[in-house]
Amino acid sequence: MLLGCIADDLTGATDLAIMLTRAGMRTLQVMEVPDAKGRAGLDGYDAIVVALKTRTCPVAEAIDLSLRSADALLALGAKQLFFKYCSTFDSTNEGNIGPVAEALMERLKADLALVCPAFPTNKRTVYMGNLFVGEVPLAESPMKDHPLTPMRDSNLVRVMQRQSKGKVGLVPYPMVEKGRGAIGEAFAAARKRGERFVVVDAISDRDLIEMGAAAVDMQLITGGSGVALGLSANFIAKGLMKAAEAPTSMTAPKGRAAILAGSCSEATRGQVAAAKEAGIPAFEIDPLGLASGAQSETTILAWIDQQAKEKPFLVYSSAEPAAVKAVQDKLGREAAGVLVEKTLAAVARELVATGTTRLIVAGGETSGAVVNGLGVTALEIGPEIDPGVPWTRAVGRDLVLALKSGNFGAPDFFVKAWERLA
Ligand code: ADP
């Protein structure tokens, strides 16, 4: 294992895992900090991404979980650590990016770490230390009104400095533009000035690749998934790994295929409609029916039992906003969500116990509930079905999963995803 990654949220972890896979690294994503026992069976990967949920939790908890992840990754042989956060630098004056990064540096006895959330493909760029979202500075983007981490300052040197004890500097674009040699010299100069962090500008993938090359000996890298573009080349150049072809298909165990949709996002509602149109048998969950007992896990499983075994089927609770609101007014927002999530997780458990081996789950929270219910802790990243959504294999289980954030994927996602399985 070469690159040990700690991500501050689940979808960010998957983002990074996909990026590393595209860059030729065989990558595993784990859902919890692997303890000594859990570390067995995690061999044979170039990169491991630990998915935490530490973006907005109390600082002390974020530090503790990140350090435990770092220890596990180092025990697995990691030569470099990567602390992954959002490309909009989601944080407050108290953290958690600065304090976690400083704790990791202390653990590694590192002297300098780079800071770069740039992700040009997604229109996140950094120029003269200022983060842009599309054409506007961060503080003028919708992030200024984020409920948990409102970003009201676009200058990342200042933002990072407010969160950190050590000094924060900048590697400005004119140096980045000159390439890896100049960036490396800028790192050396920053060390001389006693800086602990340097925000590094980047407006293109080329900048990220040059930055990655210059950071070859940096023990800790911090940033968005874009920075991952340039890291695998260092390990390849050192002869530590060979680039693996990004997978285009995944072999899956024989067994039934199912789609469980608990997302009410527009994209998922479109995918449900397209699946029905394409003739995929579908069962609609009515949360009020669940609450009254008219529907239950048992009635859903009985319906599934009547469907053809060799074709995928769909169980969904996805509904239009007005219908969702009516349910929430009756049951309460939280209670309605939990009721649907629990039901889908219970259905998934029973399906997997009785021979379902291929599962698509739509919805971020829904996926979390299903994966927890199934006790899946490690996912090997396979081919991308649509941008941001890969097939994954549950390590040590006869099961492949595609976990889709609600708004991801093309309309025909539920129909075409199976073509990537062999
Ligand atoms: P997304 O990724 O689209 O946000 P999530 O799964 O994260 O999807 O969130 C959807 C939430 O809505 C879940 O808590 C789910 O249980 C809940 N939910 C699903 N269907 C309904 C419905 N018909 N009425 C009310 N809540 C629902």
Side-chain angles (χ1 to χ4, degrees):
M1 218 271 284
L2 302 169
L3 186 66
C5 308
I6 301 162
D8 70 355
D9 91 329
L10 178 62
T11 45
T14 305
D15 239 26
L16 174 61
I18 291 173
M19 195 62 110
L20 293 169
T21 307
R22 275 194 215 143
M25 301 188 94
R26 280 151 305 172
T27 305
L28 185 72
Q29 177 179 327
V30 298
M31 319 305 237
E32 56 188 40
V33 181
D35 57 17
K37 209 169 106 226
R39 290 204 285 273
L42 302 189
D43 298 332
Y45 297 95
D46 302 315
I48 293 182
V49 183
V50 183
L52 297 178
K53 214 173 168 179
T54 50
R55 183 164 295 166
T56 54
C57 73
V59 178
E61 190 184 327
I63 290 177
D64 176 55
L65 285 166
S66 304
L67 285 179
R68 280 167 45 204
S69 305
D71 290 341
L73 292 165
L74 293 169
L76 282 159
K79 309 231 174 307
Q80 189 170 46
L81 291 188
F82 187 164
F83 172 36
K84 154 79 174 69
Y85 40 77
C86 190
S87 62
T88 42
F89 212 77
D90 304 19
S91 55
T92 66
N93 287 342
E94 287 70 47
N96 290 341
I97 295 175
V100 167
E102 289 196 308
L104 291 171
M105 282 180 80
E106 209 166 295
R107 178 62 47 103
L108 290 166
K109 304 209 174 4
D111 55 355
L112 183 75
L114 74 80
V115 172
C116 182
F119 196 174
T121 311
N122 287 0
K123 299 195 162 58
R124 313 302 200 241
T125 54
V126 182
Y127 184 71
M128 298 303 172
N130 290 277
L131 177 56
F132 289 83
V133 178
E135 287 166 15
V136 297
L138 177 65
E140 292 170 34
S141 77
M143 278 306 294
K144 72 182 189 305
D145 300 317
H146 190 280
L148 301 176
T149 52
M151 300 304 290
R152 302 264 162 88
D153 186 353
S154 309
N155 185 305
L156 296 183
V157 178
R158 284 196 303 249
V159 172
M160 186 67 178
Q161 189 65 78
R162 282 196 289 271
Q163 302 177 22
S164 312
K165 294 192 211 96
K167 213 163 129 195
V168 183
L170 173 69
V171 180
Y173 192 69
M175 276 184 210
V176 174
E177 199 185 16
K178 287 191 189 137
R180 57 195 71 187
I183 302 171
E185 282 165 26
F187 289 164
R191 284 191 175 95
K192 274 211 183 113
R193 291 192 297 267
E195 290 163 6
R196 301 279 284 158
F197 294 108
V198 271
V199 174
V200 186
D201 282 352
I203 60 174
S204 69
D205 285 352
R206 178 200 165 264
D207 300 334
L208 293 171
I209 288 168
E210 294 302 306
M211 183 189 314
V216 58
D217 293 321
M218 226 175 226
Q219 290 158 282
L220 176 69
I221 312 262
T222 86
S225 43
V227 178
L229 267 181
L231 300 181
S232 61
N234 294 332
F235 299 116
I236 295 167
K238 284 184 179 174
L240 294 171
M241 62 167 269
K242 284 206 178 72
E245 288 276 326
T248 52
S249 82
M250 186 168 237
T251 47
K254 293 244 164 317
R256 281 189 98 170
I259 307 161
L260 304 177
S263 159
C264 299
S265 300
E266 198 180 341
T268 302
R269 284 186 277 123
Q271 288 153 354
V272 167
K276 292 207 283 194
E277 186 97 339
I280 293 180
F283 182 97
E284 182 175 5
I285 292 181
D286 168 18
L288 296 178
L290 288 178
S292 74
Q295 282 187 356
S296 67
E297 182 194 331
T298 315
T299 55
I300 298 168
L301 289 167
W303 175 84
I304 291 172
D305 215 31
Q306 290 165 358
Q307 307 312 309
K309 302 273 182 286
E310 59 286 349
K311 280 213 201 129
F313 59 86
L314 164 67
V315 175
Y316 69 98
S317 66
S318 319
E320 299 291 324
V324 172
K325 185 172 180 305
V327 166
Q328 289 175 338
D329 286 347
K330 273 236 164 94
L331 303 178
R333 173 195 291 264
E334 175 97 18
V338 170
L339 184 61
V340 174
E341 285 168 31
K342 269 176 116 170
T343 306
L344 286 175
V347 168
R349 249 196 329 266
E350 186 56 28
L351 286 176
V352 169
T354 54
T356 295
T357 57
R358 302 151 186 236
L359 203 55
I360 295 175
V361 188
E365 293 299 325
T366 308
S367 294
V370 167
V371 160
N372 269 338
L374 293 172
V376 168
T377 55
L379 297 172
E380 181 184 323
I381 305 296
E384 258 175 295
I385 303 161
D386 273 324
V389 201
W391 273 111
T392 65
R393 180 191 315 286
V395 172
R397 306 273 293 266
D398 282 335
L399 180 63
V400 295
L401 294 150
L403 307 172
K404 191 188 79 71
S405 164
N407 256 327
F408 280 26
D412 59 351
F413 186 91
F414 294 159
V415 182
K416 72 176 176 192
W418 314 106
E419 293 162 12
R420 296 276 181 163
L421 296 178

